[in-house]
Structure formats: C-alpha cells, structure tokens
mmCIF file of all heavy atoms in Angstrom:
data_model
loop_
_atom_site.group_PDB
_atom_site.id
_atom_site.type_symbol
_atom_site.label_atom_id
_atom_site.label_comp_id
_atom_site.label_asym_id
_atom_site.label_seq_id
_atom_site.Cartn_x
_atom_site.Cartn_y
_atom_site.Cartn_z
ATOM 1 N N THR E 1 -7.372 0.994 11.450
ATOM 2 C CA THR E 1 -7.155 2.123 12.363
ATOM 3 C C THR E 1 -7.829 3.399 11.882
ATOM 4 O O THR E 1 -8.167 4.258 12.684
ATOM 5 C CB THR E 1 -5.654 2.422 12.536
ATOM 6 O OG1 THR E 1 -5.130 2.892 11.294
ATOM 7 C CG2 THR E 1 -4.895 1.201 13.018
ATOM 8 N N GLY E 2 -7.953 3.558 10.565
ATOM 9 C CA GLY E 2 -8.525 4.782 10.021
ATOM 10 C C GLY E 2 -7.546 5.937 9.968
ATOM 11 O O GLY E 2 -7.899 7.042 9.557
ATOM 12 N N ALA E 3 -6.288 5.715 10.378
ATOM 13 C CA ALA E 3 -5.283 6.777 10.338
ATOM 14 C C ALA E 3 -4.985 7.160 8.887
ATOM 15 O O ALA E 3 -5.008 6.323 7.990
ATOM 16 C CB ALA E 3 -4.000 6.311 11.028
ATOM 17 N N LYS E 4 -4.709 8.442 8.689
ATOM 18 C CA LYS E 4 -4.416 8.939 7.345
ATOM 19 C C LYS E 4 -3.051 8.437 6.876
ATOM 20 O O LYS E 4 -2.078 8.438 7.621
ATOM 21 C CB LYS E 4 -4.445 10.462 7.336
ATOM 22 C CG LYS E 4 -4.356 11.044 5.952
ATOM 23 C CD LYS E 4 -4.566 12.531 5.951
ATOM 24 C CE LYS E 4 -4.460 13.032 4.518
ATOM 25 N NZ LYS E 4 -4.630 14.465 4.420
ATOM 26 N N VAL E 5 -2.980 7.997 5.613
ATOM 27 C CA VAL E 5 -1.730 7.530 5.007
ATOM 28 C C VAL E 5 -0.929 8.769 4.598
ATOM 29 O O VAL E 5 -1.434 9.623 3.869
ATOM 30 C CB VAL E 5 -2.013 6.628 3.785
ATOM 31 C CG1 VAL E 5 -0.716 6.217 3.106
ATOM 32 C CG2 VAL E 5 -2.825 5.416 4.192
ATOM 33 N N PRO E 6 0.327 8.891 5.040
ATOM 34 C CA PRO E 6 1.104 10.104 4.766
ATOM 35 C C PRO E 6 1.748 10.136 3.375
ATOM 36 O O PRO E 6 2.968 10.192 3.239
ATOM 37 C CB PRO E 6 2.162 10.090 5.879
ATOM 38 C CG PRO E 6 2.378 8.646 6.163
ATOM 39 C CD PRO E 6 1.032 7.988 5.951
ATOM 40 N N LEU E 7 0.923 10.089 2.335
ATOM 41 C CA LEU E 7 1.398 10.266 0.964
ATOM 42 C C LEU E 7 0.834 11.573 0.443
ATOM 43 O O LEU E 7 -0.360 11.846 0.601
ATOM 44 C CB LEU E 7 0.933 9.127 0.063
ATOM 45 C CG LEU E 7 1.656 7.796 0.184
ATOM 46 C CD1 LEU E 7 1.020 6.754 -0.739
ATOM 47 C CD2 LEU E 7 3.137 7.929 -0.118
ATOM 48 N N THR E 8 1.700 12.388 -0.187
ATOM 49 C CA THR E 8 1.219 13.643 -0.740
ATOM 50 C C THR E 8 0.651 13.410 -2.129
ATOM 51 O O THR E 8 1.153 12.582 -2.886
ATOM 52 C CB THR E 8 2.338 14.692 -0.799
ATOM 53 O OG1 THR E 8 3.399 14.170 -1.596
ATOM 54 C CG2 THR E 8 2.841 15.039 0.587
ATOM 55 N N GLY E 9 -0.394 14.126 -2.434
ATOM 56 C CA GLY E 9 -1.041 14.046 -3.732
ATOM 57 C C GLY E 9 -2.383 14.736 -3.680
ATOM 58 O O GLY E 9 -2.903 15.033 -2.601
ATOM 59 N N LYS E 10 -2.955 14.973 -4.844
ATOM 60 C CA LYS E 10 -4.287 15.574 -4.932
ATOM 61 C C LYS E 10 -5.321 14.542 -5.347
ATOM 62 O O LYS E 10 -6.510 14.757 -5.174
ATOM 63 C CB LYS E 10 -4.265 16.725 -5.936
ATOM 64 C CG LYS E 10 -3.409 17.889 -5.499
ATOM 65 C CD LYS E 10 -3.450 19.008 -6.508
ATOM 66 C CE LYS E 10 -2.567 20.149 -6.045
ATOM 67 N NZ LYS E 10 -2.513 21.240 -7.012
ATOM 68 N N HIS E 11 -4.845 13.419 -5.902
ATOM 69 C CA HIS E 11 -5.736 12.357 -6.365
ATOM 70 C C HIS E 11 -5.180 11.027 -5.865
ATOM 71 O O HIS E 11 -3.958 10.830 -5.823
ATOM 72 C CB HIS E 11 -5.824 12.358 -7.891
ATOM 73 C CG HIS E 11 -6.350 13.649 -8.437
ATOM 74 N ND1 HIS E 11 -7.686 13.879 -8.592
ATOM 75 C CD2 HIS E 11 -5.714 14.771 -8.832
ATOM 76 C CE1 HIS E 11 -7.865 15.108 -9.075
ATOM 77 N NE2 HIS E 11 -6.673 15.672 -9.228
ATOM 78 N N PHE E 12 -6.095 10.123 -5.514
ATOM 79 C CA PHE E 12 -5.688 8.838 -4.948
ATOM 80 C C PHE E 12 -6.533 7.708 -5.522
ATOM 81 O O PHE E 12 -7.717 7.907 -5.816
ATOM 82 C CB PHE E 12 -5.857 8.853 -3.421
ATOM 83 C CG PHE E 12 -5.100 9.965 -2.757
ATOM 84 C CD1 PHE E 12 -5.729 11.159 -2.439
ATOM 85 C CD2 PHE E 12 -3.751 9.826 -2.466
ATOM 86 C CE1 PHE E 12 -5.037 12.189 -1.826
ATOM 87 C CE2 PHE E 12 -3.045 10.853 -1.865
ATOM 88 C CZ PHE E 12 -3.695 12.045 -1.541
ATOM 89 N N LEU E 13 -5.918 6.553 -5.657
ATOM 90 C CA LEU E 13 -6.634 5.342 -6.039
ATOM 91 C C LEU E 13 -6.496 4.330 -4.917
ATOM 92 O O LEU E 13 -5.403 4.159 -4.354
ATOM 93 C CB LEU E 13 -6.071 4.740 -7.331
ATOM 94 C CG LEU E 13 -6.312 5.495 -8.620
ATOM 95 C CD1 LEU E 13 -5.637 4.773 -9.787
ATOM 96 C CD2 LEU E 13 -7.797 5.663 -8.894
ATOM 97 N N GLU E 14 -7.598 3.662 -4.614
ATOM 98 C CA GLU E 14 -7.613 2.587 -3.625
ATOM 99 C C GLU E 14 -7.745 1.269 -4.380
ATOM 100 O O GLU E 14 -8.632 1.118 -5.216
ATOM 101 C CB GLU E 14 -8.809 2.786 -2.695
ATOM 102 C CG GLU E 14 -8.965 1.737 -1.644
ATOM 103 C CD GLU E 14 -10.214 2.004 -0.824
ATOM 104 O OE1 GLU E 14 -11.327 1.749 -1.351
ATOM 105 O OE2 GLU E 14 -10.078 2.478 0.312
ATOM 106 N N ILE E 15 -6.850 0.329 -4.101
ATOM 107 C CA ILE E 15 -6.833 -0.981 -4.760
ATOM 108 C C ILE E 15 -7.078 -2.025 -3.684
ATOM 109 O O ILE E 15 -6.335 -2.092 -2.706
ATOM 110 C CB ILE E 15 -5.469 -1.237 -5.447
ATOM 111 C CG1 ILE E 15 -5.122 -0.087 -6.399
ATOM 112 C CG2 ILE E 15 -5.466 -2.579 -6.159
ATOM 113 C CD1 ILE E 15 -3.650 -0.023 -6.769
ATOM 114 N N LYS E 16 -8.137 -2.829 -3.852
ATOM 115 C CA LYS E 16 -8.478 -3.846 -2.848
ATOM 116 C C LYS E 16 -8.552 -5.225 -3.484
ATOM 117 O O LYS E 16 -9.205 -5.399 -4.514
ATOM 118 C CB LYS E 16 -9.809 -3.521 -2.182
ATOM 119 C CG LYS E 16 -9.742 -2.321 -1.262
ATOM 120 C CD LYS E 16 -11.005 -2.176 -0.435
ATOM 121 C CE LYS E 16 -10.876 -1.023 0.511
ATOM 122 N NZ LYS E 16 -10.648 -1.398 1.873
ATOM 123 N N LEU E 17 -7.891 -6.191 -2.852
ATOM 124 C CA LEU E 17 -7.944 -7.596 -3.262
ATOM 125 C C LEU E 17 -8.659 -8.356 -2.151
ATOM 126 O O LEU E 17 -8.250 -8.286 -0.990
ATOM 127 C CB LEU E 17 -6.540 -8.163 -3.445
ATOM 128 C CG LEU E 17 -5.679 -7.544 -4.548
ATOM 129 C CD1 LEU E 17 -4.941 -6.321 -4.051
ATOM 130 C CD2 LEU E 17 -4.703 -8.560 -5.079
ATOM 131 N N SER E 18 -9.743 -9.069 -2.513
ATOM 132 C CA SER E 18 -10.505 -9.786 -1.486
ATOM 133 C C SER E 18 -11.282 -10.935 -2.119
ATOM 134 O O SER E 18 -11.923 -10.736 -3.145
ATOM 135 C CB SER E 18 -11.468 -8.818 -0.799
ATOM 136 O OG SER E 18 -12.198 -9.470 0.202
ATOM 137 N N PRO E 19 -11.218 -12.127 -1.517
ATOM 138 C CA PRO E 19 -10.519 -12.488 -0.288
ATOM 139 C C PRO E 19 -9.029 -12.690 -0.537
ATOM 140 O O PRO E 19 -8.632 -13.329 -1.494
ATOM 141 C CB PRO E 19 -11.189 -13.792 0.132
ATOM 142 C CG PRO E 19 -11.643 -14.410 -1.157
ATOM 143 C CD PRO E 19 -11.988 -13.253 -2.061
ATOM 144 N N ALA E 20 -8.234 -12.122 0.348
ATOM 145 C CA ALA E 20 -6.778 -12.223 0.248
ATOM 146 C C ALA E 20 -6.168 -11.907 1.606
ATOM 147 O O ALA E 20 -6.828 -11.358 2.486
ATOM 148 C CB ALA E 20 -6.249 -11.250 -0.804
ATOM 149 N N ALA E 21 -4.892 -12.232 1.746
ATOM 150 C CA ALA E 21 -4.143 -11.929 2.963
ATOM 151 C C ALA E 21 -2.704 -11.645 2.591
ATOM 152 O O ALA E 21 -2.220 -12.097 1.552
ATOM 153 C CB ALA E 21 -4.209 -13.104 3.946
ATOM 154 N N ALA E 22 -2.032 -10.877 3.433
ATOM 155 C CA ALA E 22 -0.601 -10.624 3.252
ATOM 156 C C ALA E 22 0.180 -11.285 4.387
ATOM 157 O O ALA E 22 1.311 -10.920 4.666
ATOM 158 C CB ALA E 22 -0.330 -9.121 3.206
ATOM 159 N N HIS E 23 -0.454 -12.248 5.032
ATOM 160 C CA HIS E 23 0.177 -13.003 6.124
ATOM 161 C C HIS E 23 -0.230 -14.468 5.997
ATOM 162 O O HIS E 23 -1.251 -14.790 5.391
ATOM 163 C CB HIS E 23 -0.250 -12.449 7.488
ATOM 164 C CG HIS E 23 -1.723 -12.528 7.720
ATOM 165 N ND1 HIS E 23 -2.605 -11.578 7.246
ATOM 166 C CD2 HIS E 23 -2.475 -13.458 8.343
ATOM 167 C CE1 HIS E 23 -3.840 -11.918 7.583
ATOM 168 N NE2 HIS E 23 -3.799 -13.051 8.241
ATOM 169 N N ASN E 24 0.584 -15.351 6.588
ATOM 170 C CA ASN E 24 0.278 -16.781 6.514
ATOM 171 C C ASN E 24 -0.626 -17.189 7.678
ATOM 172 O O ASN E 24 -1.032 -16.347 8.482
ATOM 173 C CB ASN E 24 1.563 -17.614 6.465
ATOM 174 C CG ASN E 24 2.438 -17.448 7.703
ATOM 175 O OD1 ASN E 24 1.993 -17.015 8.777
ATOM 176 N ND2 ASN E 24 3.703 -17.790 7.560
ATOM 177 N N GLU E 25 -0.914 -18.494 7.775
ATOM 178 C CA GLU E 25 -1.815 -18.986 8.814
ATOM 179 C C GLU E 25 -1.261 -18.767 10.216
ATOM 180 O O GLU E 25 -2.016 -18.680 11.178
ATOM 181 C CB GLU E 25 -2.120 -20.466 8.595
ATOM 182 C CG GLU E 25 -2.988 -20.710 7.381
ATOM 183 C CD GLU E 25 -3.260 -22.177 7.124
ATOM 184 O OE1 GLU E 25 -2.856 -23.024 7.945
ATOM 185 O OE2 GLU E 25 -3.880 -22.470 6.092
ATOM 186 N N ALA E 26 0.061 -18.657 10.347
ATOM 187 C CA ALA E 26 0.689 -18.406 11.648
ATOM 188 C C ALA E 26 0.678 -16.916 12.000
ATOM 189 O O ALA E 26 1.130 -16.536 13.072
ATOM 190 C CB ALA E 26 2.123 -18.941 11.652
ATOM 191 N N GLY E 27 0.185 -16.074 11.088
ATOM 192 C CA GLY E 27 0.123 -14.644 11.348
ATOM 193 C C GLY E 27 1.354 -13.873 10.937
ATOM 194 O O GLY E 27 1.430 -12.662 11.127
ATOM 195 N N ARG E 28 2.342 -14.537 10.327
ATOM 196 C CA ARG E 28 3.563 -13.866 9.885
ATOM 197 C C ARG E 28 3.380 -13.282 8.480
ATOM 198 O O ARG E 28 2.803 -13.921 7.606
ATOM 199 C CB ARG E 28 4.740 -14.829 9.898
ATOM 200 C CG ARG E 28 5.252 -15.103 11.311
ATOM 201 C CD ARG E 28 6.425 -16.022 11.239
ATOM 202 N NE ARG E 28 5.889 -17.334 10.884
ATOM 203 C CZ ARG E 28 6.090 -18.448 11.568
ATOM 204 N NH1 ARG E 28 6.855 -18.439 12.604
ATOM 205 N NH2 ARG E 28 5.545 -19.579 11.206
ATOM 206 N N SER E 29 3.917 -12.112 8.296
ATOM 207 C CA SER E 29 3.804 -11.433 7.006
ATOM 208 C C SER E 29 4.501 -12.224 5.906
ATOM 209 O O SER E 29 5.611 -12.711 6.093
ATOM 210 C CB SER E 29 4.409 -10.034 7.091
ATOM 211 O OG SER E 29 4.329 -9.398 5.831
ATOM 212 N N VAL E 30 3.841 -12.354 4.750
ATOM 213 C CA VAL E 30 4.457 -12.941 3.558
ATOM 214 C C VAL E 30 4.713 -11.850 2.518
ATOM 215 O O VAL E 30 5.307 -12.101 1.485
ATOM 216 C CB VAL E 30 3.581 -14.064 2.943
ATOM 217 C CG1 VAL E 30 3.454 -15.222 3.907
ATOM 218 C CG2 VAL E 30 2.217 -13.544 2.518
ATOM 219 N N TYR E 31 4.262 -10.638 2.824
ATOM 220 C CA TYR E 31 4.404 -9.508 1.914
ATOM 221 C C TYR E 31 5.827 -8.963 1.975
ATOM 222 O O TYR E 31 6.336 -8.635 3.046
ATOM 223 C CB TYR E 31 3.398 -8.418 2.276
ATOM 224 C CG TYR E 31 3.489 -7.199 1.408
ATOM 225 C CD1 TYR E 31 3.041 -7.241 0.090
ATOM 226 C CD2 TYR E 31 4.033 -6.023 1.880
ATOM 227 C CE1 TYR E 31 3.134 -6.129 -0.726
ATOM 228 C CE2 TYR E 31 4.124 -4.903 1.081
ATOM 229 C CZ TYR E 31 3.679 -4.963 -0.222
ATOM 230 O OH TYR E 31 3.771 -3.864 -1.027
ATOM 231 N N GLN E 32 6.500 -8.869 0.814
ATOM 232 C CA GLN E 32 7.893 -8.432 0.741
ATOM 233 C C GLN E 32 8.054 -7.061 0.090
ATOM 234 O O GLN E 32 9.171 -6.592 -0.085
ATOM 235 C CB GLN E 32 8.708 -9.460 -0.060
ATOM 236 C CG GLN E 32 8.669 -10.857 0.513
ATOM 237 C CD GLN E 32 9.302 -10.930 1.891
ATOM 238 O OE1 GLN E 32 10.387 -10.408 2.120
ATOM 239 N NE2 GLN E 32 8.614 -11.561 2.825
ATOM 240 N N GLY E 33 6.956 -6.431 -0.282
ATOM 241 C CA GLY E 33 7.035 -5.167 -1.013
ATOM 242 C C GLY E 33 7.056 -3.951 -0.111
ATOM 243 O O GLY E 33 7.164 -4.063 1.109
ATOM 244 N N PRO E 34 6.929 -2.775 -0.723
ATOM 245 C CA PRO E 34 6.980 -1.527 0.035
ATOM 246 C C PRO E 34 5.727 -1.341 0.899
ATOM 247 O O PRO E 34 4.635 -1.729 0.507
ATOM 248 C CB PRO E 34 7.051 -0.458 -1.051
ATOM 249 C CG PRO E 34 6.382 -1.076 -2.227
ATOM 250 C CD PRO E 34 6.714 -2.543 -2.147
ATOM 251 N N ARG E 35 5.921 -0.766 2.055
ATOM 252 C CA ARG E 35 4.795 -0.447 2.951
ATOM 253 C C ARG E 35 4.342 0.993 2.726
ATOM 254 O O ARG E 35 3.166 1.290 2.795
ATOM 255 C CB ARG E 35 5.194 -0.653 4.394
ATOM 256 C CG ARG E 35 5.717 -2.045 4.660
ATOM 257 C CD ARG E 35 4.835 -2.784 5.580
ATOM 258 N NE ARG E 35 5.304 -4.159 5.697
ATOM 259 C CZ ARG E 35 4.488 -5.171 5.775
ATOM 260 N NH1 ARG E 35 3.198 -4.977 5.763
ATOM 261 N NH2 ARG E 35 4.944 -6.382 5.871
ATOM 262 N N LEU E 36 5.293 1.880 2.490
ATOM 263 C CA LEU E 36 5.006 3.295 2.247
ATOM 264 C C LEU E 36 6.191 3.858 1.482
ATOM 265 O O LEU E 36 7.329 3.792 1.957
ATOM 266 C CB LEU E 36 4.823 4.038 3.571
ATOM 267 C CG LEU E 36 4.554 5.534 3.472
ATOM 268 C CD1 LEU E 36 3.190 5.790 2.823
ATOM 269 C CD2 LEU E 36 4.601 6.169 4.849
ATOM 270 N N LEU E 37 5.918 4.381 0.284
ATOM 271 C CA LEU E 37 7.026 4.788 -0.563
ATOM 272 C C LEU E 37 6.642 5.972 -1.435
ATOM 273 O O LEU E 37 5.606 5.945 -2.107
ATOM 274 C CB LEU E 37 7.416 3.605 -1.463
ATOM 275 C CG LEU E 37 8.637 3.769 -2.326
ATOM 276 C CD1 LEU E 37 9.900 3.889 -1.488
ATOM 277 C CD2 LEU E 37 8.766 2.578 -3.248
ATOM 278 N N LYS E 38 7.493 7.014 -1.413
ATOM 279 C CA LYS E 38 7.339 8.114 -2.367
ATOM 280 C C LYS E 38 7.977 7.662 -3.669
ATOM 281 O O LYS E 38 9.044 7.061 -3.672
ATOM 282 C CB LYS E 38 8.030 9.372 -1.858
ATOM 283 C CG LYS E 38 7.326 10.009 -0.702
ATOM 284 C CD LYS E 38 8.031 11.283 -0.294
ATOM 285 C CE LYS E 38 7.308 11.913 0.879
ATOM 286 N NZ LYS E 38 7.962 13.150 1.306
ATOM 287 N N ILE E 39 7.304 7.966 -4.782
ATOM 288 C CA ILE E 39 7.787 7.559 -6.103
ATOM 289 C C ILE E 39 7.818 8.800 -6.984
ATOM 290 O O ILE E 39 6.933 9.655 -6.894
ATOM 291 C CB ILE E 39 6.864 6.467 -6.705
ATOM 292 C CG1 ILE E 39 6.868 5.235 -5.795
ATOM 293 C CG2 ILE E 39 7.286 6.106 -8.120
ATOM 294 C CD1 ILE E 39 5.846 4.182 -6.168
ATOM 295 N N HIS E 40 8.814 8.910 -7.842
ATOM 296 C CA HIS E 40 8.978 10.096 -8.686
ATOM 297 C C HIS E 40 8.875 9.710 -10.154
ATOM 298 O O HIS E 40 9.840 9.823 -10.908
ATOM 299 C CB HIS E 40 10.311 10.775 -8.375
ATOM 300 C CG HIS E 40 10.442 11.148 -6.940
ATOM 301 N ND1 HIS E 40 9.774 12.215 -6.379
ATOM 302 C CD2 HIS E 40 11.135 10.577 -5.925
ATOM 303 C CE1 HIS E 40 10.060 12.289 -5.093
ATOM 304 N NE2 HIS E 40 10.884 11.296 -4.790
ATOM 305 N N LEU E 41 7.697 9.263 -10.558
ATOM 306 C CA LEU E 41 7.419 8.946 -11.961
ATOM 307 C C LEU E 41 6.521 10.040 -12.526
ATOM 308 O O LEU E 41 6.000 10.866 -11.766
ATOM 309 C CB LEU E 41 6.747 7.570 -12.062
ATOM 310 C CG LEU E 41 7.640 6.375 -11.694
ATOM 311 C CD1 LEU E 41 6.825 5.076 -11.708
ATOM 312 C CD2 LEU E 41 8.826 6.263 -12.645
ATOM 313 N N PRO E 42 6.318 10.069 -13.841
ATOM 314 C CA PRO E 42 5.486 11.129 -14.416
ATOM 315 C C PRO E 42 4.092 11.245 -13.773
ATOM 316 O O PRO E 42 3.625 12.352 -13.527
ATOM 317 C CB PRO E 42 5.385 10.736 -15.892
ATOM 318 C CG PRO E 42 6.664 10.011 -16.153
ATOM 319 C CD PRO E 42 6.934 9.248 -14.884
ATOM 320 N N LYS E 43 3.445 10.141 -13.488
ATOM 321 C CA LYS E 43 2.111 10.179 -12.868
ATOM 322 C C LYS E 43 2.128 9.675 -11.432
ATOM 323 O O LYS E 43 1.598 10.309 -10.533
ATOM 324 C CB LYS E 43 1.111 9.338 -13.672
ATOM 325 C CG LYS E 43 0.525 10.030 -14.853
ATOM 326 C CD LYS E 43 -0.426 11.112 -14.431
ATOM 327 C CE LYS E 43 -1.266 11.572 -15.593
ATOM 328 N NZ LYS E 43 -2.248 12.566 -15.211
ATOM 329 N N LEU E 44 2.701 8.493 -11.213
ATOM 330 C CA LEU E 44 2.671 7.844 -9.907
ATOM 331 C C LEU E 44 3.635 8.532 -8.936
ATOM 332 O O LEU E 44 4.827 8.629 -9.198
ATOM 333 C CB LEU E 44 3.039 6.368 -10.059
ATOM 334 C CG LEU E 44 3.025 5.515 -8.800
ATOM 335 C CD1 LEU E 44 1.621 5.452 -8.183
ATOM 336 C CD2 LEU E 44 3.515 4.104 -9.118
#
C-alpha cells in the first residue's frame, strides 16, 4: 500500500526475509506475533 507505519522514532530499520510468507497455501495467516507495537526499551 505504501502507507506510512505509525511508529514514532527518528531512526528506523527495515528487516526483510525473502523468499518467505506469513500465510499458508490457503491464504490464512500463520503469523502469531505483534502487527504494530510501541515498546519501551532503552533503544527499541
């Protein structure tokens, strides 16, 4: 979509895994982790 991700910060890292998928052959998500999350660690 190209829509901006609503995370605040001055620096960002992009992590890409390829070839990979977060859904199965039927198109259902297999990903169980966070989709968008604010974190309060020293750096992250």
Side-chain angles (χ1 to χ4, degrees):
T1 66
K4 189 173 180 181
V5 176
L7 284 177
T8 58
K10 294 181 181 177
H11 300 272
F12 303 96
L13 290 178
E14 179 183 75
I15 306 162
K16 289 190 177 255
L17 296 86
S18 181
H23 61 277
N24 62 20
E25 290 178 5
R28 285 182 288 235
S29 178
V30 296
Y31 179 72
Q32 302 296 313
R35 305 245 174 218
L36 178 67
L37 186 66
K38 289 183 180 180
I39 299 171
H40 303 285
L41 292 175
K43 278 289 194 177
L44 182 62

